Amino acid sequence: MSSKKRKRRAAISELVLERGAVAVGSLAERFDVSMQTIRRDVDALCEGEMLHRRHGRIELSREFLNTPFDQRTETNNPGKQMIGEAAADLIPDDSTVFISIGSTPLRVAQSLRRRKGLTVITNNLSAAMALSEEVSNRILIPGGEMRLPDRDILGNEVLDFFGRFRAEYAVFGVAGVAEDGGLLDFFPTEVRARQVIRENAQQALLVVDWLKFGRQAPALGDNIADMDQIITDRRPGDAFAPLLTRINDKLLVAGGDGT
């Protein structure tokens, strides 16, 4: 395969990951190639499980699509509450904290309401509002377009924004964890934002409920073994036993029994 073809197909894949679906005709215009060429690209990309063609579009398969934010916030409520409380116990008053997007980082923010004097740097607008009731806090948010219904902000402006700060703690979640420890998200922009806040924080706190272990998502980022602390509500199944052995000294099971 030529380098040009490989780059075009990679660009098509990333565009579908960002948008969920793209019309085949618009791809031909975007990359200034014939419909016949784009159809060959699409056919090759749809040979795997992640992408498929439907009604003149190339789409993410259903199992790789994200669920609505409000639905995610209601999933595994007790577990996420325990994770939020356990993470908040690690963050003292007067700390500087990055908080990423997602329903589990939002639970951490809600648990941090008992803290004072926090400097919070976040693109998670729900987290910002949860912590705005404490007037001793300082809350910094980026500019840009709010993504609905998630009530967050993503994009290159967010990467520049996070890159201008340093924090003692970074709190972030993921869409899924692969058996080899790969951290998965639905959009490459989510991966890049997480990587920036991790690089600029002294302590990286991954907050992830046990249902995320084995969950599919298309965009691959760092590995769970690279995190400073992993906080979950219970240990995942036997398929993850080798991974848990690798990260055991970094793993905090909220509730304490490890079951």
Side-chain angles (χ1 to χ4, degrees):
M1 185 190 303
S2 69
S3 173
K4 186 176 181 180
K5 183 186 296 184
R6 187 180 300 108
K7 289 180 180 178
R8 185 175 64 247
R9 291 182 180 179
I12 292 170
S13 295
E14 182 158 347
L15 193 63
V16 179
L17 292 181
E18 294 281 3
R19 300 185 181 180
V22 182
V24 174
S26 70
L27 291 173
E29 295 178 6
R30 184 183 185 94
F31 294 100
D32 193 24
V33 295
S34 68
M35 284 294 294
Q36 185 178 14
T37 296
I38 281 294
R39 288 192 184 103
R40 285 197 294 267
D41 289 338
V42 169
D43 287 344
L45 291 170
C46 290
E47 288 177 356
E49 297 180 355
M50 187 182 301
L51 304 175
H52 70 273
R53 186 193 231 167
R54 183 181 181 189
H55 304 312
R57 304 193 304 173
I58 180 171
E59 301 179 342
L60 275 175
S61 299
R62 183 177 297 275
E63 60 267 29
F64 288 92
L65 290 171
N66 202 358
T67 52
F69 181 76
D70 288 337
Q71 181 178 333
R72 298 200 307 274
T73 60
E74 297 303 318
T75 302
N76 191 16
N77 263 318
K80 289 180 180 177
Q81 182 63 36
M82 289 192 295
I83 292 169
E85 292 293 332
D89 285 343
L90 301 176
I91 300 172
D93 290 348
D94 303 312
S95 297
T96 301
V97 189
F98 288 123
I99 299 179
S100 81
I101 64 174
S103 59
T104 310
L106 173 57
R107 290 303 181 93
V108 179
Q110 291 167 342
S111 297
L112 284 170
R113 286 169 172 161
R114 64 180 188 265
R115 299 286 184 236
K116 297 183 182 298
L118 298 177
T119 297
V120 179
I121 306 159
T122 184
N123 58 335
N124 185 332
L125 299 186
S126 296
M129 292 305 297
L131 289 163
S132 65
E133 298 172 9
E134 174 52 58
V135 297
S136 69
N137 290 338
R138 181 187 183 203
I139 301 174
L140 304 171
I141 58 176
E145 181 178 352
M146 184 190 301
R147 186 175 62 156
L148 298 175
D150 295 64
R151 297 183 290 279
D152 57 34
I153 301 172
L154 287 173
N156 290 332
E157 298 90 346
V158 171
L159 301 183
D160 294 339
F161 168 77
F162 282 136
R164 295 197 298 268
F165 298 97
R166 299 294 183 271
E168 294 158 286
Y169 302 94
V171 176
F172 49 83
V174 291
V177 181
E179 286 187 19
D180 64 357
L183 300 181
L184 308 174
D185 275 302
F186 286 95
F187 301 101
T189 49
E190 295 176 334
V191 172
R192 291 195 290 269
R194 185 179 71 243
Q195 289 171 334
V196 171
I197 67 173
R198 176 179 167 249
E199 290 166 1
N200 291 332
Q202 295 175 12
Q203 288 284 315
L205 309 182
L206 173 64
V207 291
V208 53
D209 75 277
W210 74 279
L211 294 174
K212 299 293 180 63
F213 287 87
R215 187 185 182 206
Q216 292 276 13
L220 176 64
D222 300 319
N223 193 280
I224 197 170
D226 299 324
M227 304 300 106
D228 297 308
Q229 186 89 63
I230 302 111
I231 306 171
T232 189
D233 55 323
R234 58 180 289 187
R235 293 177 180 270
D238 292 342
F240 287 89
L243 176 62
L244 295 182
T245 299
R246 288 171 52 205
I247 64 173
N248 188 62
D249 60 335
K250 303 178 179 181
L251 185 66
L252 172 59
V253 181
D257 60 7
T259 60

